[in-house]
Amino acid sequence: MPVLAIDAGTTGVTALVVGEDGEVLARGYREFAQLFPHPGWVEHEPDDIWTATVAACREALAGTEAQPTCIGITDQRETAVVWDRRTLGAPRPAIVWQDRRTTDICDGLRADEERVARLTGLRLDPYFTGTKFAWLAEHEPQLWSGVRDGALALGTVDSYLVARLTGGAAHVTDPSNASRTLLYDLEKGDWSDELCEMFDVPRSALPELVPNSGVVGTTDPDAFLGRTLPIAGLAGDQQAALFGQACFTPGTSKCTYGTGSFVLTNTGSTPVRSDAGLLTTVAWDLGDGLVYALEGSIFVTGAAVQWLRDGLGLIDSAAEIEGLARTVPDSGGVVFVPALTGMGAPHWDPHARGAILGLTRGTTRAHIARATLEAIAFEVRDVVDIMVDEAGLEVPELSADGGASANDLLLQLQADQLGVPVRRPVVTETTALGAAFLAGLGTGVWASTDELAQTWALDRRFEPTADSRDDGRHARWQEAVGRAGRWTS
């Protein structure tokens, strides 16, 4: 009984057909356009996401004779989407999680920051969905009147895709996505009237909250490739990756290396609060209560490699960076702070901007390439060090996934900086795999998380090199971070 998993990411949509043994039987992928209408703004056309979703699923389904029995969906979190409840068309582009336009709104709410953090487990930052809805309410009043009168729906990408897949029959989201909006009461497990009022969001426009695993709707064959399939799994991409890495017990941890990098640790049924720059979030609800996670959200890692390719033209493809970086033994003193959209955890500085320091006449593109990989490892170390030192959590090893986890040099640098092993699974598309696991668990493909854990398989384990953690490079990185901070203020 295969499962169709849809992973609606930041730059494209991946569809996987996953077998009962966790093997990927077929895949499809479609990119969609990134829109940058103003400095610091990032948008997507929702119709482009939908078109890419259908095309990726068509390609995956054509690649195997196995017929899926259900669908799981995972998505880029925090992205704010508005659509017409009747036509399902979007009256404006989605505001993407990377977008920084709401910095002033956040600054204007600083007096409420402690209250917001207590209710949500999050920081008051442009990253989160509620600030984007508040911006729309302030700057696009005609649109917002349609939200208030019920003609327009609000949600994240998962909600939008479910609406499109079901022909508008379902308007739902799960706790993992809801907990990233700044509108969700973390301990009550429900939308907060207080927060909705603070961000000027009509609660009636928000989706119904449903568990992460279990049937929440059925695809409309007229809308989706002539198929009638139950939608039985929903999760934000990073929580889905935690699930796909079989991190089912407290203390198990993973890092997804994608457009950004996201470190999550399962903390069980108790939300662990951090005063040191980490986020408390919902991992999942399988129908028997909330499971929480502690998260460090790093905004730009893989996106920095894309920038080297698209912005500077230093490489022709992202895969080239490892070979180029290996042509030099170190970065030659170059330090790259990839704060291209501000800084996330643990610094939370929307005014920070990217910086490359230590350039000399002897600097080559290989040094910049290696400094980019080192920066990713340093950013993740900053988060894990806080998890260990400030939050009191042990991280004996780190499970790695995402596109950049194929980079052996990066994972070795990461193990060296953490001082603990980094393990990479055979299936590194664990975001989509987690969505498949949740859907299959909700429809009986798998009977339990214990059974799911048996499908996880190791590809390679990277052991830390002696003395690399304390060789001074991380201290120099922290100095560079200080120089890049609050650049636009």
Side-chain angles (χ1 to χ4, degrees), residues 295-310:
E295 174 175 335
S297 306
I298 304 163
F299 294 156
V300 175
T301 53
V305 178
Q306 293 172 337
W307 178 68
L308 294 187
R309 180 194 66 189
D310 302 333

Side-chain angles (χ1 to χ4, degrees), residues 460-480:
R460 182 172 173 185
R461 185 181 180 92
F462 297 82
E463 298 289 346
T465 305
D467 301 325
S468 291
R469 177 175 166 83
D470 300 314
D471 61 6
R473 289 180 297 160
H474 183 254
R476 196 59 184 258
W477 153 262
Q478 291 182 313
E479 181 182 350

Side-chain angles (χ1 to χ4, degrees), residues 308-309 313-330 364-373 407 409:
L308 294 187
R309 180 194 66 189
L314 296 187
I315 51 178
D316 292 326
S317 70
E320 288 181 21
I321 190 170
E322 179 176 1
L324 180 60
R326 285 188 181 276
T327 64
V328 290
D330 54 48
T364 68
R365 65 191 187 102
H367 293 114
I368 296 174
R370 192 167 184 109
T372 302
L373 296 184
N407 190 315
L409 177 58

Side-chain angles (χ1 to χ4, degrees), residues 137-206:
E138 179 179 342
H139 293 274
E140 299 184 13
Q142 184 173 356
L143 175 94
W144 215 243
S145 67
V147 173
R148 292 193 177 283
D149 67 20
L152 301 178
L154 302 178
T156 40
V157 172
D158 62 310
S159 304
Y160 171 70
L161 288 182
V162 171
R164 295 300 301 253
L165 286 164
T166 62
H171 184 37
V172 299
T173 193
D174 69 275
S176 70
N177 273 294
S179 71
R180 313 297 295 186
T181 61
L182 284 175
L183 304 172
Y184 179 86
D185 189 312
L186 192 68
E187 297 192 10
K188 289 183 178 179
D190 199 0
W191 298 119
S192 165
D193 290 331
E194 178 182 349
L195 293 167
C196 286
E197 182 177 355
M198 184 182 298
F199 291 99
D200 198 14
V201 175
R203 181 167 174 166
S204 59
L206 295 173

